[in-house]
Amino acid sequence: MQHADDRLCTCACTSCACSQAIKAGNTVYVSGQIGLVPGTKDFAGTDVESQAEQVMKNMGAVLEAAGASYANVVKTTILLADMGDFAKVNEIYGKYFPADSPPARATFAVKTLPLEARVEIDAIAVLAALALVEAYST
């Protein structure tokens, strides 16, 4: 794992107890992102669509700071406050990843998310040659 000074933080708070991402070798572990507008404590909106869109923008900024992109993401976990929002989030999520090799994914409905968010997504990205990665789908 790289030293603390290599941690990537785009968090607006001054007393963050976590890193927005950590690089360990050629792997980037992106912490769960919620739909806060950077530099504020405000959600992009109250609806799941606007929050999901902001989550993906936030994730993109963290990935870029780590030298990665959505194409490098190999695994995500989506947490939903309401599983009834799955289709709405899935539509937005799908716009950001390569259609021919989307990342592996798990989705869970949870009782509560931080700050009453509607959606949270974390990711694992690999900075290796993507030509070596094959997508398997059923």
Side-chain angles (χ1 to χ4, degrees):
M1 185 178 313
Q2 293 186 350
H3 301 291
D5 59 348
D6 290 327
R7 291 180 182 186
L8 306 166
C9 187
T10 58
C11 185
C13 68
T14 58
S15 61
C16 191
C18 70
S19 296
Q20 292 300 301
I22 292 286
K23 281 187 192 179
N26 67 341
T27 305
V28 179
Y29 298 89
V30 179
S31 294
Q33 301 294 307
I34 59 176
L36 294 178
V37 176
T40 76
K41 298 288 186 189
D42 301 323
F43 283 103
T46 58
D47 60 289
V48 74
E49 295 92 343
S50 59
Q51 288 188 26
E53 192 71 47
Q54 189 64 51
V55 164
M56 297 307 295
K57 290 176 183 176
N58 293 350
M59 181 185 297
V62 174
L63 288 166
E64 183 178 341
S69 71
Y70 296 109
N72 296 100
V73 174
V74 296
K75 171 74 169 77
T76 63
T77 304
I78 300 175
L79 304 176
L80 297 171
D82 180 350
M83 191 56 84
D85 289 332
F86 178 84
K88 295 172 187 174
V89 171
N90 191 53
E91 182 177 342
I92 293 162
Y93 171 96
K95 295 188 307 184
Y96 287 85
F97 295 107
D100 61 338
S101 60
R105 175 178 77 186
T107 305
F108 300 94
V110 297
K111 183 178 178 188
T112 316
L113 289 167
L115 303 176
E116 302 297 325
R118 304 277 308 269
V119 58
E120 179 175 350
I121 305 175
D122 71 13
I124 300 170
V126 178
L127 300 174
L130 290 178
L132 300 177
V133 178
E134 288 187 45
Y136 294 91
S137 60
T138 56

